[in-house]
Amino acid sequence: MPGASRPSRQHCFFFLAMIIDSSSYLFKATRQRAYFRDVKILIPLTWTNKSMYQRPKRETFDNADVIVSEQKTRYGDDPYTLQYGGCGETGRYIHLTPNFLLDDTLLNAYGPRGNVLVHEWAHLRWGVFDEYNADKPFYISGTGKIEATRCSTNIKGVQVSKGTSFACKLNVATGMPDDECVFLPNKIQTATSSVMYLQGLPFVANFCDDKSHNFEAPNLQNLMCNYRSTWDVISNSKDLKDTTPMTSSPPLPMVTLLQAGDRVVCLVLDVSGSMEYHNRIQRLKQAGQVFLLQIIETGSYAGIVTFTSYAVIEKNLLLIDNDAKRQELVNSLPTSASGGTNICRGVLKGFEVLEEVTGGTSGKEIVLLTDGEDEKIQSCFTEVEDSGSIIHTISLGPKAAKELEQLADMTGGLKFHATDSLDSNGLIDAFTGISSSNGNLSQQSIQLESNGRTVKTKEWFNSTVSIDKSVGKDTFFMITWQTSEPDIYVKTSSGRIYIMTDFKKDTNLKAARLQILGIAETGNWIYSFYNKYSSSQVFGITITSRAADHSVPPVTVNTHMNADTIDYPNPMILYAEVSQGFLPVVKATVIAIIEPETGPPVTLELLDNGAGSDFAKLDGVYSRYFTSFKENGRYSLKVQVQGKEKTILASWTQNRAAYIPGFVDNGQVQFNPSKSPVKDDDFNIVVGSFSRTSSGGSFSVAGVPSGPLPDIFPPNKITDLEAEMKEDTFILIWTAPGNDYDLGNASRYEIRMSKNLLTLRNDFSSAEQINTSHIIPLPAGSQEIFSFKLDVITENGTILYFAARASDEAANKADVSNIAQAIMIIP
């Protein structure tokens, strides 16, 4: 469990204590089935090196499970887990603040730190969700009783107004407690669950199981996991399925302290005969130049190996400490290609280069590019796995070795694919996506723009890039052309114009590069290329920059898929996490570009609307289902993000350890101190216009049949159905699904109701159906509002439950929605 942060050594001591406590608590909570065996802590580079610190192998900041870092957030020191997959899917990371580790006054509110870590670990590792709900802290049960949203209902306590011992007041219109009402649990309980409700209660040591689960509670666990208990999800995970309880106590965790050294990278490049096709060798040099001049960080070491049926060291490791060293490396990039392909010889020669700096190969990186097939690629898998190195793979063209990605998978590397289409800029995008994973965002190069287009003779290619105040240092414009150089105009936000004579031009490479000195102006920059050649040709542009101020994190984009490989007809879910530091950036426009091995790319807008594949609205995680599969093979993913005037910083609201407002101890109400206030002006900060491009790597698809594809994808599940009753009218509100998951229009809705929640959950088709024949479904993402009257006898306190599902014109049916409750309240 790697951790990375800027804390002090004192924080590290408290972190170790938390790990030991959490392992014991985890063992109890999983019914003697799991504990923390090995824990690896990644020490910040800013700390003085000590002999006890080992060099990391494949542990990096980017793949850390737990991150300890300062964060300005309206939720103060709330631990949280960035979790945006579905039920049972792993999350991204757990975030803890240094103050959480040190401030013992927080123990009353959150409980022991080890308990909190187990709560968050269950989010991260097993994909379960909170069993409280800060937005809906109370609900009316099927028996008509007002209950606190919790699991289990055996946890006893009182409902009182904040800061008092007085009973809560009711809202006359809703029949529910008013906003000042809180639930205070008894400090002494007979109930032992659940960890996902209040891990801080002294007697809570279990997850809710099928016997104790509260299926009525309006919480995320019920919504996301279809009313399954947390223990049902956890016990059926790959970690615990088919396990039996241990009969003895587990050992203490084995803790290892790690500290990375300087970044060491070797480019291992295929120069076999096929690299002459489609101008690949020239495109390789263009992309390699971008990496060596603009991407790899100052202070890193870099070397170059080329391979055919044998391998050659083109450049031994150089410490990149000035521009001359960068150019020396560029001059060693290959310019010709011939011969066969032996990937393993290239990789093993790359290891020789990595070993030129002390420390062996552990934690060092290889960027491996090939366009060829190699039947012997598996012959070096054992050596690769034992090396401790990280191999990033770039497959070029449709015939690259199918086993290539296994090298990245076994070493924790990145995977990219580039086609031979010049319009996509794919090869440059791949190299641009390989920046340092040490967590120092101020050092990392950030891609602002990547664009390519076929331009007819005597026509222009015009576009705009927005440079925001979080970037602007080391800003480069890289222009490429297919046949003949264009006229180039780059206009800054203040009106200054750069032309070709301001660029450093390489006619042989068919590329030109402009470096903006100092900090680039903020605002919208316009770039224009004029094709003065006699026929059409492709132009490409890549713009990169770095943080303007090391103390201010830049806006970044992290792109992910829910799987590396899928079998048709399963959908792929695409995610783009847009943030500044650890705060989400919301209300941006996010476009995914998915390119198959052959044929045109598909564009898809990713949404942050809390519907379909996106389970939390306005959390900075934009997502969408992708189903437009054209063929089997590799697909590449790129995401373009554009900030607008309304784009703002928000704060994580989901998957946080609950802050307990107080307890009832021996009949006495005791409130915990309120959390430290956070100024409102610290949030909803306008980010404004910015441009970002992020390569999401590649994924593989199998099982796509040849010929026209059948309509096999259903509408997505409705996850935000709400119901209310006004006088004699019922009103249902939900977000419209699509024809194929969240794309297009569904054909019809099926809505059913019952006075019994379990009927809708367990036997939806047997519940009473409501006439929806007159509803014409709106486009996916639209808000649907349906009001109707029923000939049923309703009296004050009557409770009805509703659920819905959509279907398409091919009769593909979605999963049944969440269950919404409506209550008749007569003031």
Side-chain angles (χ1 to χ4, degrees), residues 301-544:
Y301 289 85
I304 300 173
V305 165
T306 59
F307 68 92
T308 55
S309 54
Y310 58 92
V312 175
I313 298 175
E314 302 289 353
K315 197 66 183 178
N316 296 95
L317 286 180
L318 274 182
L319 173 63
I320 300 175
D321 53 9
N322 56 50
D323 290 343
K325 296 284 186 64
R326 291 181 183 271
Q327 191 60 50
E328 187 177 344
L329 286 160
V330 168
N331 294 340
S332 299
L333 289 169
T335 57
S336 61
S338 64
T341 303
N342 191 314
I343 294 172
C344 280
R345 286 189 175 177
V347 170
L348 297 179
K349 187 64 70 172
F351 288 164
E352 290 182 30
V353 174
L354 296 182
E355 289 173 339
E356 293 172 5
V357 173
T358 57
T361 56
S362 287
K364 299 174 184 177
E365 301 168 70
I366 281 178
V367 178
L368 172 62
L369 178 143
T370 184
D371 71 341
E373 297 175 294
D374 182 0
E375 295 178 354
K376 299 179 179 179
I377 186 174
Q378 295 181 345
S379 64
C380 60
F381 278 12
T382 299
E383 290 170 275
V384 167
E385 196 157 13
D386 293 342
S387 70
S389 65
I390 299 169
I391 299 181
H392 311 293
T393 60
I394 304 174
S395 57
L396 177 57
K399 294 185 178 180
K402 300 304 179 185
E403 302 85 356
L404 187 65
E405 283 79 5
Q406 294 181 45
L407 291 170
D409 290 337
M410 70 175 64
T411 63
L414 303 172
K415 295 174 288 192
F416 300 93
H417 175 68
T419 69
D420 288 315
S421 169
L422 300 181
D423 298 52
S424 66
N425 228 20
L427 193 53
I428 289 178
D429 289 339
F431 275 94
T432 304
I434 305 173
S435 57
S436 171
S437 56
N438 66 5
N440 189 343
L441 294 179
S442 66
Q443 291 182 347
Q444 294 179 11
S445 179
I446 296 171
Q447 190 174 21
L448 307 185
E449 181 84 331
S450 171
N451 206 346
R453 187 177 303 174
T454 299
V455 181
K456 295 180 180 179
T457 182
K458 312 304 180 186
E459 291 192 0
W460 290 88
F461 171 15
N462 303 303
S463 195
T464 301
V465 61
S466 301
I467 299 180
D468 60 287
K469 62 185 178 181
S470 74
V471 295
K473 183 180 178 182
D474 294 340
T475 302
F476 292 92
F477 287 68
M478 175 75 168
I479 315 298
T480 59
W481 55 88
Q482 183 180 6
T483 308
S484 177
E485 68 178 68
D487 287 337
I488 298 176
Y489 300 89
V490 176
K491 184 178 180 181
T492 71
S493 55
S494 65
R496 178 177 176 178
I497 295 177
Y498 295 93
I499 59 176
M500 179 63 90
T501 55
D502 297 305
F503 284 70
K504 185 176 181 180
K505 182 172 60 175
D506 187 330
T507 305
N508 293 328
L509 194 59
K510 298 179 181 178
R513 193 167 66 98
L514 171 68
Q515 180 176 6
I516 306 300
L517 300 178
I519 303 297
E521 292 179 21
T522 59
N524 292 329
W525 292 48
I526 300 171
Y527 57 85
S528 303
F529 311 141
Y530 179 69
N531 182 13
K532 54 190 179 183
Y533 189 57
S534 58
S535 61
S536 299
Q537 62 172 319
V538 176
F539 297 142
I541 180 170
T542 298
I543 305 173
T544 62

Side-chain angles (χ1 to χ4, degrees), residues 549-581:
D549 185 337
H550 69 87
S551 64
V552 179
V555 175
T556 58
V557 181
N558 289 302
T559 308
H560 306 276
M561 294 83 71
N562 70 318
D564 293 329
T565 60
I566 60 165
D567 293 317
Y568 180 89
N570 293 311
M572 179 66 77
I573 304 178
L574 312 177
Y575 299 102
E577 173 198 339
V578 187
S579 60
Q580 184 170 19

Side-chain angles (χ1 to χ4, degrees), residues 612-643:
S613 60
D614 187 73
F615 87 85
K617 185 177 182 179
L618 297 179
D619 66 346
V621 178
Y622 302 73
S623 67
R624 203 74 181 271
Y625 289 102
F626 175 69
T627 58
S628 299
F629 304 114
K630 305 299 183 185
E631 59 187 24
N632 294 312
R634 297 179 173 106
Y635 288 69
S636 64
L637 170 64
K638 176 168 68 176
V639 168
Q640 295 177 330
V641 180
Q642 183 63 45

